[in-house]
Amino acid sequence: MSIQIRTIPNDDIVALAALLDGLHIQMSSTDISGRLVSGNFQSAKAMADGRIGIKLTRYLNGQHVLDSVAVPTGTDPLGRPWRTAFHVREDTALFAALEAAA
């Protein structure tokens, strides 16, 4: 079993939420202590302000905690879609779909 890191456009995360459930996620944002936010994906939903709200569990100060982060939608100033990194097993249908879409 090999695991690959694949970036998924933030606009697609809500639609793919069932397939992403439990996968490790790496965010480019930091928490209040300056640590990069990463953990296991739990759910995602579109927020009223246009961002995507993501719930994840992560190990923090010796405990597993439920956390959330908001990510932007649409494109960055250079016209590229905002993306989030997920650890995806190569032997899954999700990996095959992401490879076909690339």
Side-chain angles (χ1 to χ4, degrees):
M1 171 187 71
S2 181
I3 296 177
Q4 299 281 330
I5 297 175
R6 291 292 179 259
T7 57
I8 298 174
N10 291 349
D11 293 345
D12 297 341
I13 291 175
V14 174
L16 294 172
L19 296 172
L20 301 173
D21 187 32
L23 294 181
H24 190 79
I25 181 174
Q26 290 177 233
M27 309 300 295
S28 58
S29 57
T30 59
D31 64 14
I32 196 165
S33 299
R35 295 175 290 225
L36 285 172
V37 175
S38 68
N40 292 332
F41 181 87
Q42 298 296 314
S43 65
K45 70 175 185 174
M47 298 171 52
D49 64 3
R51 297 180 298 163
I52 302 291
I54 297 176
K55 284 188 183 175
L56 58 126
T57 55
R58 66 186 191 133
Y59 195 70
L60 183 64
N61 297 331
Q63 300 179 35
H64 282 95
V65 297
L66 185 61
D67 202 355
S68 63
V69 64
V71 296
T73 57
T75 57
D76 66 14
L78 297 175
R80 300 171 299 199
W82 291 105
R83 303 175 81 83
T84 298
F86 286 86
H87 293 217
V88 182
R89 288 181 34 185
E90 282 186 342
D91 60 352
T92 62
L94 174 61
F95 183 81
L98 293 173
E99 287 298 297

